[in-house]
Amino acid sequence: MALLFIANASTFIVAGIVILLLVTTPFTTWIGIGETHSFFWILGLSLLFVGIFQSMNNWALRYEQYDVINRAKISMNTGQGFGQLVFGFLNIGVIGLLLGEMLGRLTGMIQYVRYYKKDLQQANHTTFHQAKEILVRYKKFPLISSISNVIYSVAVNLPALFLAAYFDVATAGFYYLAQKILTVPENLVGFSATQVYLSQAAKMMQEGQDLKKHCLETVKHLFIIAFVIIASIDILAPIGFTFFFGHGWDTTVTFIQILSLMYFTKMVLQPINGVFQVCEAFYMQITAESIRLVFIILALFFASTHKMTHFEALWMISIMTTLGYIVCAIFAWQVMNKAGDKRDNVINNSEQREI
């Protein structure tokens, strides 16, 4: 309860700071969109809503209430998509995208707040002493894990920026659309698998069970599911794009097929990275994410120095990112090995004391 209170309180503080900075600084001018300054603060509200959504998502995960998680996730995605479509038809420009983004976050948050209203009321009775004790115990989570999250975000967004700068905005647009399409199954399958794996891994750690067996079972099932989904998308993409959008979308279809390898690997291996949090192996996580970022930077470097076409550059990005996900999985496996060795030592010491 104290941790839930701290998570929501810190979200309010951070969102407030972000809104203040967006209102008082020429941030939009710095990034070349000064005309949006009067309403760009809406992103601060979106940050507030998604922060509370994430806190409540973890709360639901703690109690393994996956039906609640799925409803909230569907509400958020539906609200965002519906809002941006409606504002798009109204032709109100960038503010429509921002309002649609905020609406989606808000609907997802409301779904959780309505369901956990009593828990939130109880959490708000947290005393200063309780909050301080929890902050000291879990200080590594925001201080260190945020570094790996920043590295991960840079690695995810760097290819799109490179394609826009090195080729043109249209190429980046095709990439973004392909990414959006492949992200849908990745979010549905990968997100759900990550939630379940994280919850079960945490419980198994507390009970002293072997994480590796659970990991292998998860990867095996995800391999089959991801293969069927990605193969179906690769086969149906040429037909689907021609049917819904007409001709002229061959580049996006090719991008989807090239990126399939990367998204297949991500869907299969990304969920087991939750072990970094469960075992509090933050430095291992930072190292793994840094190596993956280096792989992506090398891909962009070779693509630019060898004068590759946009298709060749995307193949390089897809292959190197795939290798990065494999490296992260290897590091996660090492963390599980260390956790298993520690558990075995505890059991052996306990048995020797009994003897």
Side-chain angles (χ1 to χ4, degrees):
M1 287 293 181
L3 194 55
L4 178 63
F5 169 78
I6 292 169
N8 286 331
S10 61
T11 298
F12 271 96
I13 293 169
V14 172
I17 293 171
V18 169
I19 292 172
L20 186 64
L21 289 174
L22 289 175
V23 171
T24 59
T25 63
F27 174 78
T28 51
T29 304
W30 297 341
I31 60 176
I33 50 172
E35 68 277 6
T36 66
H37 180 76
S38 59
F39 48 80
F40 210 68
W41 55 269
I42 295 172
L43 281 181
L45 287 179
S46 181
L47 175 65
L48 171 65
F49 299 147
V50 76
I52 297 174
F53 174 91
Q54 189 60 45
S55 299
M56 303 312 301
N57 184 82
N58 289 336
W59 187 254
L61 184 62
R62 176 181 176 85
Y63 294 104
E64 300 183 8
Q65 293 175 320
Y66 303 118
D67 56 332
V68 179
I69 293 173
N70 287 332
R71 286 202 299 270
K73 186 73 173 176
I74 291 170
S75 294
M76 183 173 71
N77 290 336
T78 303
Q80 183 179 355
F82 178 77
Q84 290 184 340
L85 279 173
V86 169
F87 293 129
F89 282 121
L90 293 175
N91 198 28
I92 59 176
V94 177
I95 190 172
L97 291 173
L98 296 175
L99 288 172
E101 169 79 11
M102 184 188 71
L103 180 64
R105 309 303 189 188
L106 177 62
T107 53
M109 183 198 74
I110 289 174
Q111 184 76 19
Y112 272 135
V113 170
R114 288 174 58 189
Y115 194 87
Y116 293 113
K117 185 177 180 181
K118 291 183 179 179
D119 289 346
L120 284 167
Q121 290 173 343
Q122 189 174 344
N124 289 337
H125 292 125
T126 300
T127 65
F128 176 78
H129 176 74
Q130 290 172 325
K132 182 181 177 182
E133 186 178 334
I134 294 295
L135 280 170
V136 172
R137 166 63 183 88
Y138 292 104
K139 63 182 179 182
K140 282 187 178 181
F141 280 80
L143 290 176
I144 303 175
S145 66
S146 58
I147 298 173
S148 63
N149 290 334
V150 169
I151 296 171
Y152 176 80
S153 296
V154 171
V156 167
N157 293 293
L158 202 56
L161 296 173
F162 168 80
L163 293 172
Y166 189 74
F167 294 103
D168 50 45
V169 176
T171 302
F174 286 129
Y175 172 82
Y176 179 75
L177 182 57
Q179 196 179 38
K180 272 287 186 182
I181 291 169
L182 288 166
T183 298
V184 172
E186 191 271 323
N187 274 343
L188 290 173
V189 176
F191 176 81
S192 300
T194 299
Q195 302 298 292
V196 175
Y197 182 83
L198 189 62
S199 175
Q200 293 181 351
K203 184 183 292 185
M204 292 173 73
M205 270 290 292
Q206 290 176 345
E207 296 173 356
Q209 298 182 40
D210 187 8
L211 292 176
K212 291 184 289 184
K213 183 179 178 182
H214 177 51
C215 169
L216 291 174
E217 285 293 319
T218 301
V219 169
K220 183 175 71 174
H221 290 123
L222 286 175
F223 183 93
I224 298 170
I225 295 170
F227 181 81
V228 172
I229 292 174
I230 296 297
S232 300
I233 291 174
D234 281 352
I235 295 169
L236 296 175
I239 304 170
F241 266 81
T242 303
F243 180 78
F244 288 107
F245 301 109
H247 297 282
W249 293 91
D250 294 342
T251 301
T252 300
V253 171
T254 306
F255 275 21
I256 289 172
Q257 293 169 337
I258 293 172
L259 292 173
S260 293
L261 173 66
M262 181 180 84
Y263 273 88
F264 169 76
T265 310
K266 184 179 181 181
M267 287 173 67
V268 174
L269 298 179
Q270 184 77 356
I272 68 174
N273 286 353
V275 76
F276 291 121
Q277 296 180 41
V278 172
C279 297
E280 299 185 32
F282 300 116
Y283 293 109
M284 289 282 280
Q285 185 177 15
I286 291 172
T287 305
E289 292 292 354
S290 298
I291 293 173
R292 191 169 70 88
L293 177 59
V294 169
F295 279 0
I296 294 172
I297 292 172
L298 287 174
L300 304 182
F301 175 77
F302 280 114
S304 60
T305 55
H306 289 74
K307 308 294 182 182
M308 293 182 176
T309 66
H310 53 295
F311 290 130
E312 292 171 338
L314 203 64
W315 267 116
M316 180 65 70
I317 292 168
S318 182
I319 291 169
M320 294 299 278
T321 305
T322 297
L323 292 175
Y325 285 125
I326 293 172
V327 167
C328 288
I330 292 171
F331 272 75
W333 184 261
Q334 290 299 318
V335 169
M336 285 183 275
N337 270 332
K338 290 181 179 179
D341 293 340
K342 189 182 294 184
R343 185 196 70 243
D344 292 341
N345 289 334
V346 171
I347 293 173
N348 291 334
N349 291 335
S350 177
E351 290 175 348
Q352 287 176 2
R353 282 196 298 270
E354 288 177 3
I355 293 171

